Amino acid sequence: MNNKEYLIVVKDLTKVYKTGDVEVYALRGISLNITKGEFVAISGASGSGKSTFMNILGCLDTPTAGSYLIEDKDVSGRNKNELAELRNSKIGFVFQSFNLLPRTTALENVELPMLYNNNVNSKMRNEKALNALTSVGLADRLWSMPNQLSGGQQQRVAIARALVNDPLIIMADEPTGNLDSHTSYEIMEIFQKMNDNGITIVMVTHEKDIAQFAKSNIVFKDGKIISNEIVDIRKNASVELKILTSLSENISTI
Amino acid sequence: MRILNLIRVACRSLNRNKLRTVLTMLGIIIGVGSVIAMLAIGQGSNQNIKASVASLGTNAIMIVPGTTTQGGVRQGAATTQTIRLDDAETIKNRCDMVNYVSPVVQRRAQVISGSQNWSSFILGVKDDYLKIRSLSAAKGSTFTAFDDRTAAKVCLIGVTVVYNLFGSEDANPVGQMIRVNSIPLKIVGVLNKMGQNTFGQDQDDIIIAPFATVQKRLMSSTQYVNSIIASAKSEDQISDAVDEITNILRQNHKLAASDDNDFTVRTQSDLSNIFGSVSKVLTILLASIASISLLVGGIGIMNIMLVSVTERTREIGVRMAIGAKGRDVLIQFMIEAIVISFAGGMIGIAVGIFVSEIIAKFAGWPIVISLFSILLSFIFSTAIGLFFGWYPARKAASLNPIEALRYE
C-alpha cells in the first residue's frame, strides 16, 4: 500500500501556446501517475511535448488546463512565488549543461538552493552542502571552480545541488547528454543509488541505453503519451561500469 | 535571515567580477569626490569672502551717494555727488550711536619719487578712518588730527607703492618725499601689508593722506566727498545707527517725506551678504556641475547592471529554478547596485577630501569640508544606486525561468 502511494497525479494536462492567432498544442491531455520511489525515463522526438511536460512537472510552468497534484495537493493554479517555494523544497533540477554558477566554488554552488530556504541556518547550510558533495564523491573538490572540474564532476556538483534541500523529486533533463558513456554510467549509478534511497526521479533522455537504467519508460509524440511500459531487463549501473572498465584501478569510488 | 543570504549572494557576485565592480564604482567615486571637492572650494571661498569683508571692520557703515532724479530722469547709483563734507560733520556731532566718522575723498594720482613714478590711489581721510579700518603703520607712524587741521603735506603709503617707487618692499622710505600730482608729500609711515582683498584688489597699492591735504591741495577744495565711513559703537547698534544716519542725512539734504534717499547706507553685513550670495551661487553652480558627473556615474551603474542582467540570464534562470522568487532576484540586484554606489560613495568621500586638501595645499585656495556636503553626497549616491539599480533589477526579476535557462 505504502509502495503504491502516488506522489504525482497528472490528469488531462493541456498546454497551449498562443503565437498571434495560431494556437499551438504542446500537450494534448496528458494523464499520468507517478508513485513514490519511481524512476521514469521520458523520451520522444523534439517537439513531442516532453520538455513542456517536464517544465510543468518541475513547477517552472503552469498548464493551460488539467490538474497536477503533488502529494495530493493541486499545484496547477499556484502563483509564481508559491511555485518557487515548491521548487525550492520539493524538487531538484539536473540539467544537460550542468548550469553551475561560473567562478563559484563547488561548495558555494551546492549551498545555493539553501540560500533561498528560510529553514536552513548558516551552520546547517555548510554541513548539508558538505554531506551532499560527499555523497556524490566530491569531498576533495569542495573549493574547485566549475572550470577546474571535468564534465562528470560538474554534473555531480549539480546533482549534489539538486539533493541538498532533500527534495521529493529530481527532474533531470538529459543529464548525460554532454557526457561520454563511462561518465554517463557513473551518473546513472548515482541516480540509481538516490532512487534506492527513496527519491523519485523523472528523467528525459534520448539515449536508449540510458533509459534502460530507469524503472519505466514513457514515450511522447505530438503532445501525447504513446507508450508507458515497465523496463523488463533493468540495467544496474554498477555492474555495467564494471563491465565497461576492464582495469580495476578505474573502478569508481562512488 | 533571507535578506542576509541575499546580501551574501550579492556580495559574492560582485566579488566574482572585481574589475567590473571597481570600474562601475569609479563613476560614483569620481562623482562623489568632485561634489565634495567642489563644495569644499565653494564653501571655503564663501567663508574667505565673509572673513575679508569682516576685516574691513565689522561695525563699519558706508555712506555712498545714491541715485538722484533730474527732471524726472533717474540717474544710476553713485553717479552724482550728493554727499558733502558737512554731512560727515553732522553725523559726528549728532549721532549718538556712532563713535568714529570720516569723510573719504579718493582719486587716481601719478606718484613720483626720484626717477621712479607709479600710478596709484590717493585717499584723503580723517584719522578716524584708520581706527575704523584698524590700520596701523608698520614703519614710522600714522598722521594725526593736527595734520588734518593744518592740511599737512604728509602721507602713509602701502607696500606696493614702496615696492614700485623704492625698488623693494623692505625699503624704508619714512621721511622721504614723494610728489603726488606735483604736490610734495612727506612719507610718515608705511602701512601694514594687507594683501589682496577677496575681489582681487591690491589693498597695498594705496596712499593715505589727511583729508584736508587731499581735499585742499589735490581736489581744489571740493565740498563733495566720495563717501563717508562711520562705525557704530557696538555691533548690536549697527542697524539703529543706520536709521539714525539716514534720518540726519535726509534732514541735511532737505528731502521731502515723499523723496527717495539720494544716498545709500551700507553696512558690512550687507556687503558680506551680497558677496556671500554671489559665492553661494558659485557653490551651487560648481556642485551642480559636479553632480552631473554623479548622475553619469549612476547611469554607468544602470548600464553595467543591464549588461550584467543579460550576461547572467542563465544564472538568474538557475537561481529561479532552484527556488529564488522574483523578489529575491530583484533584491539581489538592488543590493548589488546599492553596494556599488554605497562603497563608491565612501571611497568618493575619501577621494574628495584628499583632492580638496591637495587643492588647498598647492593652489592655496581656502577649503571647508562640511559634514553637510559629506552627508549630501553620501545620501545622493546611495539614492542613485537605488534609482538606477531598480530598472535592471526589475528586468532580472521579471525573467521567465524557462527562457532564462535556455538563454545562450
Side-chain angles (χ1 to χ4, degrees):
Chain A
M1 183 66 200
N2 199 27
N3 205 28
K4 277 292 161 195
E5 191 181 314
Y6 290 132
L7 179 67
I8 291 173
V9 177
V10 171
K11 205 163 187 194
D12 295 330
L13 210 62
T14 308
K15 182 72 183 177
V16 185
Y17 292 108
K18 277 185 188 157
T19 43
D21 292 337
V22 188
E23 288 187 342
V24 180
Y25 279 79
L27 296 177
R28 298 163 186 268
I30 303 280
S31 295
L32 181 70
N33 298 333
I34 297 174
T35 50
K36 205 166 186 165
E38 183 62 270
F39 187 168
V40 187
I42 298 174
S43 55
S46 55
S48 62
K50 64 181 191 305
S51 294
T52 308
F53 185 63
M54 279 290 278
N55 287 337
I56 293 171
L57 280 196
C59 295
L60 286 164
D61 208 348
T62 48
T64 313
S67 65
Y68 170 29
L69 283 75
I70 299 179
E71 290 184 312
D72 296 330
K73 273 169 242 153
D74 193 357
V75 296
S76 51
R78 303 273 176 107
N79 67 29
K80 277 184 178 180
N81 284 346
E82 288 167 336
L83 289 179
E85 257 170 44
L86 266 172
R87 290 198 295 270
N88 187 253
S89 57
K90 305 247 193 278
I91 300 164
F93 286 93
V94 178
F95 305 96
Q96 179 178 359
S97 50
F98 323 135
N99 276 336
L100 299 178
L101 297 197
R103 278 161 291 174
T104 307
T105 63
L107 191 67
E108 278 176 354
N109 261 301
V110 175
E111 281 183 354
L112 205 61
M114 293 183 286
L115 292 175
Y116 300 106
N117 185 340
N118 290 337
N119 303 322
V120 183
N121 63 35
S122 62
K123 203 179 148 195
M124 272 162 74
R125 184 165 63 230
N126 197 271
E127 209 171 283
K128 289 181 86 171
L130 217 78
N131 289 341
L133 276 168
T134 310
S135 75
V136 296
L138 285 176
D140 54 337
R141 304 306 301 266
L142 300 180
W143 308 108
S144 304
M145 300 292 175
N147 58 359
Q148 296 165 326
L149 297 170
S150 69
Q153 286 171 324
Q154 286 189 53
Q155 193 59 298
R156 281 190 271 162
V157 174
I159 293 169
R161 183 177 67 188
L163 281 174
V164 81
N165 260 346
D166 303 320
L168 294 168
I169 318 155
I170 295 274
M171 296 284 166
D173 192 357
E174 302 212 31
T176 57
N178 286 5
L179 301 172
D180 61 59
S181 51
H182 184 271
T183 321
S184 299
Y185 287 2
E186 282 177 10
I187 297 300
M188 282 308 113
E189 195 180 17
I190 298 172
F191 271 37
Q192 287 191 333
K193 210 172 119 193
M194 289 187 324
N195 189 234
D196 292 343
N197 290 339
I199 294 172
T200 311
I201 299 172
V202 179
M203 171 176 79
V204 166
T205 184
H206 276 127
E207 296 157 86
K208 287 251 156 52
D209 62 325
I210 294 297
Q212 297 300 303
F213 291 105
K215 286 180 181 163
S216 66
N217 285 356
I218 292 173
V219 182
F220 269 71
K221 194 179 181 184
D222 298 332
K224 282 179 176 166
I225 294 175
I226 54 165
S227 84
N228 182 0
E229 34 194 50
I230 295 184
V231 179
D232 302 329
I233 316 146
R234 190 177 177 219
K235 285 201 229 172
N236 183 309
S238 308
V239 176
E240 295 295 322
L241 260 178
K242 272 181 195 151
I243 298 165
L244 202 68
T245 53
S246 49
L247 295 169
S248 59
E249 70 217 50
N250 278 356
I251 291 171
S252 169
T253 52
I254 298 160
Chain B
M1 188 65 207
R2 199 176 179 100
I3 189 82
L4 277 179
N5 286 344
L6 292 174
I7 290 170
R8 187 195 308 264
V9 165
C11 290
R12 274 180 190 172
S13 351
L14 289 176
N15 198 33
R16 282 209 300 276
N17 289 293
K18 284 193 192 71
L19 184 66
R20 188 176 69 193
T21 306
V22 169
L23 286 176
T24 315
M25 244 183 232
L26 205 58
I28 293 293
I29 292 173
I30 292 170
V32 169
S34 52
V35 167
I36 297 253
M38 291 300 145
L39 282 175
I41 292 167
Q43 288 177 335
S45 76
N46 195 3
Q47 267 199 10
N48 195 39
I49 286 170
K50 283 196 170 147
S52 72
V53 168
S55 77
L56 299 173
T58 44
N59 297 355
I61 298 164
M62 304 276 295
I63 301 118
V64 294
T67 178
T68 51
T69 308
Q70 289 176 342
V73 180
R74 295 188 72 206
Q75 309 291 308
T79 44
T80 44
Q81 293 182 306
T82 57
I83 300 182
R84 296 160 58 91
L85 178 56
D86 61 315
D87 288 334
E89 277 153 14
T90 319
I91 292 168
K92 189 165 182 98
N93 294 336
R94 287 179 49 196
C95 285
D96 308 325
M97 291 176 195
V98 166
N99 51 1
Y100 301 116
V101 179
S102 166
V104 179
V105 282
Q106 65 189 59
R107 61 170 300 182
R108 216 159 235 296
Q110 204 65 21
V111 200
I112 302 164
S113 165
S115 59
Q116 300 296 316
N117 76 96
W118 178 245
S119 171
S120 183
F121 252 109
I122 183 155
L123 222 60
V125 293
K126 305 264 186 190
D127 56 325
D128 275 3
Y129 180 88
L130 305 174
K131 289 172 189 148
I132 295 168
R133 294 211 40 199
S134 28
L135 296 177
S136 57
K139 293 172 187 142
S141 60
T142 56
F143 55 78
T144 61
F146 178 75
D147 290 330
D148 182 50
R149 278 201 295 282
T150 56
K153 292 177 185 171
V154 294
C155 68
L156 292 162
I157 60 176
V159 287
T160 305
V161 181
V162 174
Y163 172 77
N164 283 292
L165 292 181
F166 301 98
S168 154
E169 284 190 6
D170 301 325
N172 188 355
V174 174
Q176 300 210 41
M177 300 297 285
I178 51 171
R179 279 185 296 140
V180 180
N181 286 11
S182 42
I183 308 295
L185 297 177
K186 186 177 157 196
I187 300 168
V188 291
V190 177
L191 291 163
N192 273 316
K193 194 176 167 111
M194 289 176 281
Q196 285 187 354
N197 70 6
T198 327
F199 323 115
Q201 277 175 326
D202 182 1
Q203 299 183 91
D204 297 314
D205 189 6
I206 201 167
I207 300 162
I208 299 179
F211 178 79
T213 311
V214 178
Q215 183 212 18
K216 293 201 168 96
R217 297 184 194 277
L218 284 160
M219 317 234 341
S220 45
S221 297
T222 173
Q223 286 304 302
Y224 287 101
V225 298
N226 293 86
S227 62
I228 296 172
I229 188 165
S231 73
K233 279 177 180 157
S234 74
E235 229 177 309
D236 351 306
Q237 283 173 298
I238 292 175
S239 66
D240 289 336
V242 168
D243 293 343
E244 211 177 6
I245 290 168
T246 308
N247 286 334
I248 287 167
L249 287 185
R250 283 186 69 88
Q251 282 176 26
N252 236 23
H253 292 183
K254 299 185 173 64
L255 296 176
S258 57
D259 288 342
D260 289 335
N261 289 345
D262 59 355
F263 54 89
T264 309
V265 183
R266 262 196 226 120
T267 61
Q268 293 300 350
S269 56
D270 291 343
L271 211 62
S272 106
N273 285 345
I274 289 167
F275 290 107
S277 66
V278 167
S279 116
K280 208 178 246 165
V281 169
L282 212 80
T283 308
I284 291 168
L285 190 76
L286 286 173
S288 44
I289 290 169
S291 39
I292 288 172
S293 61
L294 197 52
L295 198 71
V296 171
I299 294 169
I301 288 188
M302 181 153 79
N303 197 355
I304 294 289
M305 295 303 288
L306 278 174
V307 171
S308 166
V309 168
T310 311
E311 188 193 282
R312 287 155 65 188
T313 300
R314 270 183 96 95
E315 177 194 323
I316 295 162
V318 172
R319 285 181 189 279
M320 285 178 156
I322 61 177
K325 295 172 188 166
R327 202 184 54 217
D328 295 327
V329 174
L330 179 89
I331 293 172
Q332 178 195 336
F333 276 82
M334 286 301 280
I335 290 172
E336 284 184 29
I338 291 169
V339 165
I340 286 175
S341 58
F342 186 84
M346 291 297 248
I347 299 169
I349 287 170
V351 169
I353 292 172
F354 181 71
V355 167
S356 312
E357 296 291 346
I358 297 238
I359 289 172
K361 193 154 191 174
F362 291 101
W365 294 353
I367 57 152
V368 173
I369 298 162
S370 64
L371 189 68
F372 167 76
S373 67
I374 289 176
L375 281 177
L376 180 82
S377 42
F378 193 68
I379 292 167
F380 198 38
S381 66
T382 310
I384 270 181
L386 269 168
F387 183 77
F388 288 107
W390 174 256
Y391 177 68
R394 187 72 250 164
K395 213 179 152 191
S398 60
L399 283 175
N400 180 333
I402 300 167
E403 278 159 27
L405 278 170
R406 230 181 270 148
Y407 186 84
E408 290 301 327

